[in-house]
Amino acid sequence: MRVVRNSAEMQTLAVERRSRGVTVALVPTMGALHEGHLSLVRLAHEHGDEVDVTLFVNPAQFGPGEDLSQYPRTFERDVELCRAAGVSTVFCPDVGQVYAADHSTQVAETRLSTGLCGAHRPGHFDGVVTVVAKLFNIMLPSSAVFGSKDFQQARVIRRMVRDLNFPVRIVLAPIVREPDGLAMSSRNRYLSAREREQALSISRALKGAEAEAADGALDTEALGKSVESAMDAAGLTVQYVVCVDADTLEPVARLERPVLLAVAAFIGKTRLIDNVVLDLAAGADPSQAGLTPVRQG
Ligand code: PAF
C-alpha cells in the first residue's frame, strides 16, 4: 500500500494508473476511521480494480466555533486499518497540499445544500463539494463511496458530479450502527458514558417513527413531533427534525413517496446527525430502522 502526501505526486500516479486501464473506487474520509468507514472500503472493492482512501480533515467545511481543532486525528491507526482492508493508496495531504495560500476558487451547490445541515452550518457544503471536486481531480477515481448517515452530503455531491460532468459514479452505502443502534460517527468518541446513553434516544426515536409509519401514520409533521419530543425528553438540544423528499430534499407533508426523516441534535457540545428513509412502497421493515436501503437519487 502506498501512502502519498503530495498532491502532484498523487495526480501523476493516478494519471499513470488510469493510462494502464486500472479503475479506482475512492473512499474520501476525514480519518478517525471506524467500522462505518471500513464498510465503505468493502463496498468500494466491488466498484473498482483498486480502492483508494483519502485522510484529510478539511478546514473549509468547519465553521467558526466548530470542532476543527478537536477533530480526532488517529493517523497511524487509520493507515494500518487501510492496509488490513486491502486499500491500494492512502492519500493524506496536509492543508497546504490541498489549498494554495492564495486560492480563490470554490465550488458551490445552491439548491440541495440549503436546508437541513446547510441551514445551520453556513458554508459547510461549499467546503465539502470544493474538497471533493479537488480530490476527484487529484485521485481520478471512476467511482466514489459515501455513507448515507451524511445523506444530504451524498445528494449534494451527486448533484455536483452531475452538474459539473465529473466522470465519477457516486455509490451510497447504508448507515452502520453499533449493536445498540447508535449510528457510527467519528464524533461519538467525544461522548461521555452518560451522553452516549442519551444519544441512543436518536436512533430509538427514528426507529419508533419507522414503526409508526409502517402502522399507517402518514402525517410527517406528527412523525417529526414524536421524534423531537423523544430526543427532548432524553435531554438533547434538537437542532432540526425534518421530513423531506429523499430525492429533492424539499419538505413533504405526507409519506406518499420515499421520505428522508433526518435529525441533528447536540448532546452537550457534541453535534450528531442521523436519518432513516421511510419508503412504504419498498415495504420497509421497522425492525431494520436505519438499515432500509436508500435510493440512489
Ligand atoms: O464525510 C466526510 O468525511 C467529509 O465530509 C468528506 C466527504 C471526506 C469531505 O471532507
Side-chain angles (χ1 to χ4, degrees):
M1 186 181 79
R2 282 179 296 243
V3 178
V4 182
R5 295 168 186 276
N6 180 286
S7 292
E9 184 191 336
M10 184 63 239
Q11 201 173 39
T12 304
L13 273 169
V15 169
E16 183 276 324
R17 182 170 56 179
R18 193 170 58 176
S19 73
R20 285 190 281 115
V22 176
T23 62
V24 173
L26 179 66
V27 181
T29 81
M30 297 205 298
L33 301 185
H34 51 67
E35 183 49 37
H37 296 111
L38 299 178
S39 76
L40 305 184
V41 171
R42 284 194 290 276
L43 184 58
H45 278 293
E46 296 171 23
H47 292 273
D49 301 325
E50 294 189 1
V51 172
D52 288 356
V53 169
T54 60
L55 305 174
F56 178 62
V57 182
N58 173 35
Q61 69 189 75
F62 290 80
E66 291 189 344
D67 57 342
L68 173 62
S69 58
Q70 296 109 282
Y71 198 83
R73 284 151 172 97
T74 57
F75 177 73
E76 309 296 336
R77 184 171 176 274
D78 292 349
V79 168
E80 283 324 306
L81 287 171
C82 287
R83 198 186 305 281
V87 169
S88 295
T89 307
V90 170
F91 178 53
C92 46
D94 64 22
V95 175
Q97 285 293 320
V98 177
Y99 297 105
D102 61 347
H103 72 275
S104 51
T105 306
Q106 73 169 18
V107 183
E109 192 287 328
T110 57
R111 188 175 296 247
L112 300 175
S113 61
T114 54
L116 291 85
C117 291
H120 299 274
R121 303 185 68 191
H124 168 70
F125 285 114
D126 294 348
V128 170
V129 287
T130 300
V131 83
V132 170
K134 288 164 77 68
L135 293 172
F136 285 176
N137 285 333
I138 295 168
M139 310 295 292
L140 303 178
S142 56
S143 54
V145 184
F146 294 89
S148 54
K149 184 171 70 66
D150 296 290
F151 190 97
Q152 184 182 20
Q153 166 173 282
R155 288 293 297 118
V156 170
I157 290 169
R158 189 187 288 273
R159 176 62 57 90
M160 185 268 289
V161 159
R162 186 201 73 181
D163 288 352
L164 300 185
N165 304 89
F166 277 92
V168 181
R169 176 163 187 262
I170 302 302
V171 179
L172 197 53
I175 297 176
V176 178
R177 296 179 182 279
E178 303 284 357
D180 58 12
L182 184 67
M184 289 196 186
S185 164
S186 303
R187 290 184 167 101
N188 289 350
R189 62 182 77 205
Y190 298 151
L191 300 170
S192 67
R194 186 180 128 69
E195 288 174 334
R196 197 189 172 292
E197 189 54 37
Q198 288 176 286
L200 287 178
S201 65
I202 301 176
S203 53
R204 286 180 185 149
L206 292 175
K207 193 166 178 154
E210 202 169 30
E212 282 178 48
D215 278 352
L218 300 182
D219 179 59
T220 59
E221 195 179 330
L223 280 174
K225 279 203 173 116
S226 74
V227 168
E228 186 164 353
S229 23
M231 294 197 296
D232 234 21
L236 274 57
T237 306
V238 178
Q239 190 175 61
Y240 68 74
V241 176
V242 292
C243 284
V244 293
D245 182 298
D247 183 37
T248 63
L249 304 187
E250 297 289 340
V252 283
R254 285 179 71 74
L255 296 185
E256 279 155 357
R257 51 187 183 276
V259 164
L260 174 75
L261 168 53
V263 306
F266 285 92
I267 304 102
K269 288 187 173 149
T270 304
R271 180 179 180 276
L272 296 182
I273 58 172
D274 199 349
N275 69 71
V276 66
V277 174
L278 304 171
D279 185 357
L280 299 184
D285 171 359
S287 69
Q288 296 296 303
L291 300 176
T292 308
V294 289
R295 277 156 55 99
Q296 292 279 321

